[in-house]
Amino acid sequence: MARRLPVPPLFGPREYFPSLAAKILLSVFVIFLVTSVTLYFFYSARIREQGMENLRNQLEAFASSKAAELSEPLWNFQDVLLESLMRSYRDNGDLHRISLYDNSDKLVMEETPDGPDAGHTILTTARPLTRTVGGEVMTIGRLVVQYHDDRIRREIAGRRHEDLGSAALLALIVFVSGWFILHLVVGRPLQRLKLSLRHNARSDARMPLVWNSRDELGEVVAEYNNLLREVEHQTSQLVKKNAALEKLIAQRREAERKLARAHDDLEQTVARRTLELREANKELVRLDNQRSAFLSSASHELRTPLAAVLGFSKLVRKEFAKHFAPAAPRMELEKKSDVILGNLDIIAKEGDRLTRLINDLLDINKIEAGQMEWRDTLLNVPDELNRALRTMAPQLAGDGPVRLETDIPEWIPPLVFDPDRMQQLLLNLLSNAYKNTDSGTIRLTARHEGNTTRIAVSDTGRGIPERDLELIFHKFHQSENGRLGKPGGTGLGLAICRHIVDHYGGRITVESKLGHGSTFTVELPAQPF
């Protein structure tokens, strides 16, 4: 059977203040106070408005009666009577000033009773003084009357003191009664709940709280008791799990000792492997330097005999075409002559391609070594684009299925650029499009938007596989989707293009769909010049 906790006293010790009941009551009291003050100000304004309305009506009635009273003595020039009448009006406690004017609007007489006039509201009205002569109404003067609101102010001030005293007494009664009721209804139950929480937090024996109320607090107590039972259950489970956890901890400590020994062995192995990798890296650096030196030297050495081969092949073709080809028909060697001329053309063509490959190798080595010479000048972009098209024209002229289209504006802002590098960039992109297009269209477009010049080379060729899109600008990488029968390359063209564009702070991107062609876009920022 559950034990009962002691019932807290009606008025708890100071540690219970401010209680929840006091907080609730204070909030209600503040709302009540704000509402009462607001209503009181509206009420005061309404009372003042009604008082001023009554005062205005009294003013109008007073002015009308006095205008009729003063008309006769003013007409008969009875100054003594006028003065007596005007003096008698001083008994009117609301009167601020009364002024009498003749028909020429000249002040005849004025009375100003003693009374406050600073900071008060003044009401003013005027009445004409008339006289009927021979059936005709004549205006003989004018009466101006002013009232002040001093009496209304005193009445409102007196009523405010009475109302505030009554309201303060009522608020005190409501506050004390509300606090007492809320303390009984809310405060004491919550204090019991607090004592139960404190006892159960400090003791291993969980003691439920007995509460017979069926209101919301009763539901809270029921849920609290359910929570205690759940805590008891969870505690027993935690004890069991704690024992299992201690066993696991012991096993883990043993595993950590073994892991520490393995870690020491691994550090020794890593140190040994690091030393080996450092030596291997030094060897790789040495080999890379040797490779660069070899490529540079080999490229220079190859260009000399290659130039000789190209020169002599062109000279041989020229001499053969001049001296031997004309005699071939007579000697029935016309077909043989054509074959020889074709072979010489192939030698020249392949020699030119080999020259370009060697130049690419030299350029990529210079770029990576930081030895490339950039001869920047102010370039006319449309002229450079047309120059590249003229260079590609002979190559495309012999390939009927491939058409070249352009969309180049007449004017594009000039760029600070190396003209040789610009031609290298454009020709690499156009040649790459030609190599991958069996039939269809190669299109060169240019636009200037904002501070960016955008040049695009698109084709309707075979496209680039998606797996190659991220590698297409790497050195020596070539897509396996090229056209058979057209000359290949070293895989350096697009890598050189990327280095050139990066040097000028631009960006080169590619979009491609297999079987539908590719589009290479170069974006170059405008530079001050």
Side-chain angles (χ1 to χ4, degrees), residues 142-302:
R142 181 168 60 92
L143 181 66
V144 177
V145 182
Q146 292 181 335
Y147 269 22
H148 58 73
D149 63 342
D150 186 61
R151 178 175 53 84
I152 295 176
R153 286 175 175 268
R154 289 195 302 270
E155 292 177 357
I156 293 176
R159 183 173 297 177
R160 181 182 296 119
H161 293 155
E162 296 176 0
D163 293 344
L164 287 178
S166 302
L169 180 60
L170 177 61
L172 179 61
I173 295 173
V174 170
F175 183 80
V176 173
S177 302
W179 177 85
F180 186 78
I181 294 172
L182 284 174
H183 182 72
L184 290 178
V185 176
V186 178
R188 293 186 69 200
L190 291 180
Q191 289 179 18
R192 291 186 60 184
L193 184 60
K194 175 183 176 181
L195 292 175
S196 177
L197 286 170
R198 181 180 298 174
H199 175 271
N200 291 326
R202 298 176 179 177
S203 175
D204 293 335
R206 302 289 187 266
M207 185 169 60
L209 179 62
V210 179
W211 189 264
N212 297 324
S213 175
R214 295 186 179 181
D215 54 11
E216 288 81 358
L217 284 174
E219 294 178 359
V220 170
V221 171
E223 292 298 327
Y224 168 70
N225 292 332
N226 291 334
L227 179 62
L228 286 181
R229 288 190 290 271
E230 182 65 23
V231 169
E232 288 284 355
H233 175 71
Q234 294 292 338
T235 301
S236 62
Q237 294 295 323
L238 285 175
V239 170
K240 295 179 182 178
K241 291 181 179 180
N242 185 60
L245 185 60
E246 289 180 351
K247 182 178 180 181
L248 289 175
I249 291 174
Q251 295 175 353
R252 180 171 181 175
R253 287 175 178 171
E254 180 63 25
E256 286 177 350
R257 285 193 291 270
K258 294 180 179 179
L259 182 61
R261 289 195 297 269
H263 181 265
D264 294 338
D265 295 340
L266 180 60
E267 282 188 344
Q268 296 176 2
T269 303
V270 168
R272 187 171 60 256
R273 292 289 186 269
T274 302
L275 182 60
E276 295 174 356
L277 287 174
R278 188 177 293 113
E279 295 298 327
N281 185 59
K282 291 180 180 179
E283 181 66 18
L284 286 176
V285 170
R286 186 182 64 81
L287 292 175
D288 185 66
N289 293 334
Q290 289 181 353
R291 176 194 63 82
S292 299
F294 168 76
L295 287 176
S296 179
S297 175
S299 298
H300 283 290
E301 294 299 328
L302 286 174

Side-chain angles (χ1 to χ4, degrees), residues 421-460:
R421 301 287 79 80
M422 175 63 79
Q423 289 301 309
Q424 189 174 18
L425 170 66
L426 296 174
L427 291 175
N428 276 338
L429 294 177
L430 291 170
S431 298
N432 186 68
Y434 172 68
K435 293 174 186 177
N436 291 278
T437 304
D438 296 332
S439 63
T441 303
I442 297 174
R443 183 175 178 83
L444 175 62
T445 62
R447 289 288 183 274
H448 182 77
E449 299 175 356
N451 293 324
T452 302
T453 298
R454 186 175 288 105
I455 302 171
V457 176
S458 58
D459 61 71
T460 58

Side-chain angles (χ1 to χ4, degrees), residues 95-167:
L95 183 65
H96 176 69
R97 180 181 288 109
I98 182 169
S99 304
L100 181 62
Y101 298 87
D102 60 14
N103 58 353
S104 62
D105 208 27
K106 179 181 179 183
L107 181 64
V108 176
M109 196 170 295
E110 185 178 69
E111 287 292 337
T112 305
D114 295 335
D117 55 0
H120 288 260
T121 302
I122 305 299
L123 301 178
T124 304
T125 187
R127 290 290 186 275
L129 302 180
T130 60
R131 181 76 176 175
T132 304
V133 179
E136 183 181 354
V137 178
M138 297 178 60
T139 301
I140 62 174
R142 181 168 60 92
L143 181 66
V144 177
V145 182
Q146 292 181 335
Y147 269 22
H148 58 73
D149 63 342
D150 186 61
R151 178 175 53 84
I152 295 176
R153 286 175 175 268
R154 289 195 302 270
E155 292 177 357
I156 293 176
R159 183 173 297 177
R160 181 182 296 119
H161 293 155
E162 296 176 0
D163 293 344
L164 287 178
S166 302

Side-chain angles (χ1 to χ4, degrees), residues 89 339 364 479:
Y89 300 153
V339 170
I364 198 69
S479 174

Side-chain angles (χ1 to χ4, degrees), residues 370-386:
Q371 299 175 354
M372 175 65 76
E373 295 182 5
W374 303 91
R375 299 179 177 87
D376 291 343
T377 185
L378 198 61
L379 288 188
N380 185 304
V381 178
D383 289 350
E384 291 298 321
L385 297 175
N386 290 320

